[in-house]
Amino acid sequence: MPFPDLLPFPPELQAPGTADAPFEPALPLSELPPGSMTRLSRGDLDLLLAHSADGLLATDDRCPHMSAPLSEGRLEGCTLHCPLHRGSFDVRDGEVLTFPTTGGLEADGTYRPTWTPAGSASKPPLKPDDPKARARAMTRVRRLRYYPLRVRDGVIEVAWPR
Ligand code: FES
């Protein structure tokens, strides 16, 4: 396999606790071919290692919406599709590409309403004071956050937070 690029990410989206964390072996590079992704777990932290069209990255294996495992979704080029609620994210900058169907708040606080995918039957709307409707409206969909990684001697190493 040719040596892959490491995907650069916005510095402000680096995961907390990783600034001075040491790199530790995570996975042989040969086990993460282009277009693939996998979950790594340590304690209660689940990371997603992905080999996107623009390079390798490590992020939380939790959707920034409602924590679904992104490793059960799809990676297409540089787009990461969550297995729930149709949310999708650009792995190059962590931004939401498709807002989840349940609606909620963008990272900057902008409200997005619920929506129904084309071809699907729409559900009756919830009353605004329904706790479920209120929870949806207050759920913020933040951007992806990233864990530093590198490749040494054919092994992907990740900076796990301290
Ligand atoms: S949990 Fe991922 S879009 Fe809702």
Side-chain angles (χ1 to χ4, degrees):
M1 180 189 311
F3 199 80
D5 291 329
L6 304 181
L7 191 76
F9 57 82
E12 69 273 20
L13 296 181
Q14 182 168 334
T18 59
D20 300 319
F23 287 94
E24 299 178 52
L27 189 76
L29 178 59
S30 59
E31 293 182 18
L32 195 69
S36 69
M37 51 187 183
T38 192
R39 168 183 266 205
L40 298 175
S41 297
R42 177 181 290 186
D44 66 354
L45 179 61
D46 301 308
L47 299 190
L48 177 78
L49 274 186
H51 194 158
S52 77
D54 280 15
L56 301 172
L57 69 133
T59 187
D60 291 293
D61 193 19
R62 284 174 166 253
C63 178
H65 179 224
M66 290 184 177
S67 298
L70 293 168
S71 56
E72 293 299 314
R74 287 180 293 118
L75 177 63
E76 293 180 333
C78 287
T79 301
L80 185 54
H81 298 268
C82 177
L84 294 179
H85 313 131
R86 307 280 182 122
S88 68
F89 303 86
D90 189 331
V91 297
R92 294 168 295 190
D93 57 12
E95 296 284 353
V96 179
L97 292 174
T98 308
F99 207 83
T101 54
T102 54
L105 301 177
E106 292 188 42
D108 67 2
T110 304
Y111 174 70
R112 295 285 196 106
T114 57
W115 59 282
T116 302
S120 301
S122 54
K123 296 177 186 171
L126 297 169
K127 292 181 179 161
D129 62 347
D130 184 297
K132 194 170 176 180
R134 288 168 48 82
R136 283 179 176 175
M138 293 171 64
T139 298
R140 190 183 306 274
V141 182
R142 60 168 174 74
R143 292 180 289 171
L144 299 174
R145 63 183 176 183
Y146 297 85
Y147 295 78
L149 78 170
R150 68 184 187 185
V151 178
R152 288 288 186 277
D153 299 326
V155 175
I156 301 170
E157 298 180 347
V158 176
W160 291 83
R162 289 179 183 266

